[in-house]
């Protein structure tokens, strides 16, 4: 995510379910006199909410240079108790413990922005015993995709467009995952819980998420759709799933290269795992579906051998 781009910040702030949800959560948790850490402050919006809720001091950190804007907005709006730190959360040195840590660093799959590890380190270092983290809990959910249209769209190269044989790459579009907004009719019920992360206690971000899903009807399955539900407080839940109200987050779709025909009441075991490549630039995903008789294994590395390796400039031999 390019967090130095004003458009990205506008999209996030204009997502009222997200931003008002955080505001309500901050008003519930931050008490007059609280000390607060805003990890990944962006425009500073969550720091401003915390200051308005009565925080004595707010420490706001962000590694993006956009934090200059946050500081300018803080001054413009007359906040005098927000201290800004430009830099990675891992390198932050605070003069004291805090009562509350607030953060919104979730990608479509929650953990795919790779910031939760730093949040956990900050919590261990700076959250006072009994202090609160917003969000307190994140759950990963998944459902099967039952819509053929997405599958057909991904089969483009199989149609031999312009009379060219693209069979070398025709399956590549299926070995890719991406964020899309799905409609309720595109997913099969029920959804499956793939794992929960308690942000007050978890020390290491899980790299693998699994669940089971028993489809109610006989179906053709075209892939997995996954999203997250964040419990900002015990009372405030932010659901980014296809059945919930629209937020700026998309669901992640993980296609299957061949549709899987599933009888009613078959149990499917789903696994989605992710890791960062060695340079920390790409997220490497794997997704598996096990219907009891076969395990379909997919990943997004298929094109990597072709496009990631160095290629000398000049005529190809
Ligand atoms: C999704 S934005 C949220 C911004 C703001 N809190 C809001 O709610 O509108 C996440 C922010 O976290 C920052 N960030 C992510 N990882 C970070 C890290 N390890 N250290 C410091 N800032 C980080 C990004 O630069 C980005 O500005």
């Amino acid at each position: 995510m390019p967090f130095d781009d004003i458009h990205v910040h506008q999209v996030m702030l204009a997502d009222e379910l997200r931003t008002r949800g955080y505001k309500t959560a901050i008003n519930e948790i931050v008490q007059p006199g609280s000390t607060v850490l805003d990890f990944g402050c962006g425009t500073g919006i969550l720091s401003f909410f915390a200051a308005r809720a009565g925080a004595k001091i707010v420490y706001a950190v962000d590694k993006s240079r956009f934090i200059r804007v946050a500081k300018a907005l803080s001054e413009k709006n007359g906040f005098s108790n927000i201290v800004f730190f430009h830099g990675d959360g891992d390198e932050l040195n605070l003069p004291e413990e805090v009562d509350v840590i607030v953060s919104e660093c979730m990608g479509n799959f929650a953990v795919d922005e790779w910031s939760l590890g730093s949040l956990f380190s900050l919590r261990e270092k700076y959250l006072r015993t009994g202090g609160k983290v917003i969000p307190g809990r994140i759950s990963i959910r998944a459902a099967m995709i039952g819509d053929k249209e997405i599958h057909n769209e991904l089969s483009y190269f199989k149609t031999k467009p312009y009379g060219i044989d693209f069979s070398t790459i025709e399956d590549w579009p299926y070995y890719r995952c991406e964020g899309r907004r799905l409609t309720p009719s595109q997913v099969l019920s029920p959804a499956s819980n793939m794992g929960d992360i308690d942000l007050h206690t978890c020390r290491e971000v899980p790299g693998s998420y699994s669940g089971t899903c028993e489809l109610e009807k006989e179906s053709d399955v075209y892939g997995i759709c996954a999203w997250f539900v964040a419990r900002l407080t015990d009372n405030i839940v932010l659901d980014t799933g296809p059945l919930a109200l629209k937020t700026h987050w998309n669901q992640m779709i993980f296609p299957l290269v061949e549709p899987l025909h599933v009888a009613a009441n078959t149990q499917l075991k789903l696994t989605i795992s992710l890791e960062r490549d060695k340079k920390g630039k790409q997220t490497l995903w794997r997704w598996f579906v096990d219907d009891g008789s076969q395990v379909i294994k997919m990943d997004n590395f298929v094109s990597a051998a072709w496009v990631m390796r160095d290629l000398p400039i000049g005529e190809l031999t």
Side-chain angles (χ1 to χ4, degrees), residues 58-109:
V58 182
Y59 299 106
V61 59
D62 204 297
K63 63 184 176 185
S64 160
R65 289 182 202 162
F66 202 86
I67 194 169
R68 278 198 183 112
V69 176
K71 185 163 191 306
L73 292 175
S74 171
E75 284 160 12
K76 186 100 189 163
N77 285 276
F79 293 107
S80 55
N81 54 349
I82 307 176
V83 184
F84 292 92
F85 294 92
H86 176 222
D88 198 290
D90 289 336
E91 283 147 28
L92 184 67
N93 278 311
L94 290 184
E96 61 177 332
E97 289 190 331
V98 295
D99 302 308
V100 180
I101 299 180
V102 62
S103 182
E104 194 283 83
C105 290
M106 283 98 72
N108 291 328
F109 196 80

Side-chain angles (χ1 to χ4, degrees), residues 157-183:
F157 289 112
K158 293 188 178 185
T159 65
K160 297 194 173 29
Y162 312 104
I164 302 296
D165 180 350
F166 282 98
S167 53
T168 310
I169 59 167
E170 67 182 17
D171 284 342
W172 288 17
Y174 298 98
Y175 288 87
R176 223 184 135 254
C177 44
E178 61 176 330
R180 286 196 191 204
R181 175 82 198 164
L182 297 190
T183 60

Side-chain angles (χ1 to χ4, degrees), residues 103-141:
S103 182
E104 194 283 83
C105 290
M106 283 98 72
N108 291 328
F109 196 80
V111 299
D112 49 333
E113 278 193 7
W114 301 104
S115 304
L116 277 189
S118 303
L119 175 62
F120 295 162
S121 309
L122 287 169
R123 181 200 67 209
E124 292 300 299
K125 222 164 143 187
Y126 294 117
L127 189 67
R128 73 158 169 79
T129 309
K132 292 278 184 199
V133 182
I134 306 173
R137 194 178 190 81
I138 292 174
S139 304
I140 305 289
R141 299 269 161 81

